[in-house]
Amino acid sequence: MGPDEDDNRWPLWLKPLLRERFFGQCKLHADSHKSECNMYCLDCINGPLCSLCLAHHKDHRVIQIRRSSYHDVIRVNEIQKYLDISSVQTYVINSAKVVFLNERPQPRPGKGVTNTCEVCERSLLDSFKFCSLGCKIVGTSSNYVKKPKNSPEKRRTPAMASESEESYSSSSSSHGRRNKIQSFTPSTPPPTSANYRMAKRRKGIPHRSPMGGLFID
């Protein structure tokens, strides 16, 4: 199976979707409080849309992107209508089952973890092969070489598999090792604090000498 066959395996909208950056402000409706772009039209494939843009996409297939810890997710009941998400790990967040669009950085698998994503090596439950839709595309391509996995002594379900404490945010707003593969991650880094204060050395207090003059320590 060559590159052309790989592309034909997936809907035309999938790869463009994974490369998009969501939750920016809509340029057409910047004056509205509903101008956040967290929608995507699978028929037009013309970039992120805000809720006001949907008036021009009636009867189209539109999905909503949500956020979990600065990463884009989509509800399973929305995406599975249009895409086979088998072997991609699902997560329960705020009582809704979701899948991540792209891989997420993880320094190393937890101790005792026996199953990891075949592409980015993120810890997974034993019944899954990929941590995200992007990793499934890469990992099932004809030119991808699967990395060998180690065999730890114990089998244990990774604690990260349940992320129900995380929350969606539709109003706020990678890395892993690769074998020369394509990444779809648009990477939205979490905000970092730049308010570091430099301590300043305090000058010595002037003292008066016995002769009436001043000197500085």
Side-chain angles (χ1 to χ4, degrees), residues 122-138:
R122 185 173 185 85
S123 302
L124 299 178
L125 292 172
D126 290 343
S127 56
F128 299 100
K129 295 182 179 180
F130 306 105
C131 71
S132 62
L133 300 179
C135 283
K136 180 174 181 178
I137 292 179
V138 172

Side-chain angles (χ1 to χ4, degrees), residues 86-201:
S86 60
S87 72
V88 179
Q89 177 153 317
T90 58
Y91 298 82
V92 177
I93 302 177
N94 281 6
S95 302
K97 188 176 290 187
V98 303
V99 291
F100 282 83
L101 268 61
N102 291 293
E103 66 179 77
R104 293 163 294 147
Q106 185 180 31
R108 68 185 110 180
K111 184 178 179 181
V113 170
T114 60
N115 187 41
T116 58
C117 176
E118 294 184 1
V119 175
C120 72
E121 298 186 354
R122 185 173 185 85
S123 302
L124 299 178
L125 292 172
D126 290 343
S127 56
F128 299 100
K129 295 182 179 180
F130 306 105
C131 71
S132 62
L133 300 179
C135 283
K136 180 174 181 178
I137 292 179
V138 172
T140 56
S141 65
S142 59
N143 60 350
Y144 178 71
V145 179
K146 181 179 177 181
K147 295 183 289 291
K149 294 185 178 181
N150 297 327
S151 301
E153 297 179 0
K154 295 183 179 180
R155 299 182 68 83
R156 187 176 71 180
T157 300
M160 51 67 63
S162 176
E163 300 191 2
S164 51
E165 73 279 3
E166 298 185 31
S167 62
Y168 292 134
S169 172
S170 59
S171 59
S172 63
S173 290
S174 21
H175 52 266
R177 288 172 287 173
R178 299 179 176 86
N179 293 339
K180 295 182 180 180
I181 56 177
Q182 181 182 19
S183 172
F184 296 95
T185 310
S187 94
T188 306
T192 56
S193 176
N195 297 325
Y196 295 105
R197 297 181 178 178
M198 299 295 293
K200 298 181 179 179
R201 187 187 306 178

Side-chain angles (χ1 to χ4, degrees), residues 1 4 14 16 28 30-32 42 51 58 66-67 72 84 102 116 124 143-144 146 165 188 192-193 204 206 211-212:
M1 183 169 64
D4 292 339
L14 181 56
L28 298 177
D31 295 334
S32 172
L42 306 184
S51 59
K58 293 180 179 179
R66 293 174 167 83
R67 274 278 168 89
D72 296 337
D84 176 14
N102 291 293
T116 58
L124 299 178
N143 60 350
Y144 178 71
K146 181 179 177 181
E165 73 279 3
T188 306
T192 56
S193 176
M211 302 301 295

